[in-house]
Each structure stands twice: as structure tokens, then as C-alpha cells.
């Protein structure tokens, strides 16, 4: 679909005409155009902003009691709020 978005943007046809010609709904076109624009922004962004460094330690929690769990993330002890914010970044 990204190739169709590029084709429309480099061409001279209005979106409505292009969509009719390619037999794609305008809603579908705009949905994928938004994805394409977000992808283009992400590709141009430095990796440091896209990923957070995470220090992993050996699995020493076998049989330990879980302190908290959320969406598959298991915490075996209380952690600072700044740590959780960094994970969500």
C-alpha cells in the first residue's frame, strides 16, 4: 500500500480520482497515508529516541513471589517511578 501512497503523491491526480482508478476507497487511502507518514517520520528519527536501554540481569527470580504484574511485565520488587516511566517511553 505504501507504494500506492507514493505513486499518488508523486503523480498529478487528485486523491478522489486516483482512488477510483486504483479501486481503493478514500477512507482506506487516508488510513494508509497516515501510517505512511508516521513511518516516514519514524525512519528519520535517531535511534536514541526510539529505544530505551534496558539492563537485564540473570534470571534470579525463579520461585520468587511477584510484587506486581502488568501486561506481561513482572516486577519482583518495588521500583522507582522514574524506572517505570523509562520503560513506557
Amino acid at each position: 500500500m505504501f507504494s500506492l501512497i507514493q505513486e499518488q503523491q508523486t503523480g498529478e491526480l487528485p486523491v478522489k480520482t486516483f482512488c477510483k482508478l486504483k479501486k481503493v476507497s478514500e477512507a482506506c487511502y487516508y488510513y494508509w497515508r497516515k501510517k505512511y507518514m508516521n513511518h516516514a517520520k519514524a525512519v528519520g528519527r535517531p535511534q536514541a529516541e526510539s529505544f530505551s536501554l534496558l539492563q537485564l540481569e540473570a534470571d534470579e527470580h525463579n520461585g520468587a513471589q511477584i510484587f506486581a504484574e502488568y501486561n506481561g511485565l513482572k516486577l519482583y520488587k518495588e521500583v522507582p517511578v522514574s524506572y517505570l516511566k523509562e520503560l513506557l517511553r
Side-chain angles (χ1 to χ4, degrees), residues 63-80:
Q65 194 170 16
I66 294 177
F67 174 75
E69 182 176 2
Y70 179 74
N71 284 347
L73 175 65
K74 296 177 183 178
L75 301 174
Y76 293 92
K77 62 181 181 180
E78 190 173 353
V79 296

Side-chain angles (χ1 to χ4, degrees), residues 10-75:
T10 57
E12 296 182 12
L13 289 175
V15 172
K16 189 171 192 167
T17 306
F18 181 82
C19 289
K20 282 184 183 179
L21 181 67
K22 298 296 181 176
K23 297 180 182 172
V24 174
S25 73
E26 284 184 64
C28 181
Y29 171 83
Y30 284 113
Y31 170 84
W32 283 104
R33 186 178 81 167
K34 182 178 178 181
K35 293 258 187 211
Y36 174 78
M37 300 304 261
N38 288 339
H39 175 73
K41 287 179 188 175
V43 169
R45 187 181 311 157
Q47 271 192 341
E49 292 180 22
S50 299
F51 297 97
S52 297
L53 181 61
L54 182 62
Q55 298 290 333
L56 299 177
E57 298 173 6
D59 189 10
E60 57 189 54
H61 302 292
N62 288 338
Q65 194 170 16
I66 294 177
F67 174 75
E69 182 176 2
Y70 179 74
N71 284 347
L73 175 65
K74 296 177 183 178
L75 301 174

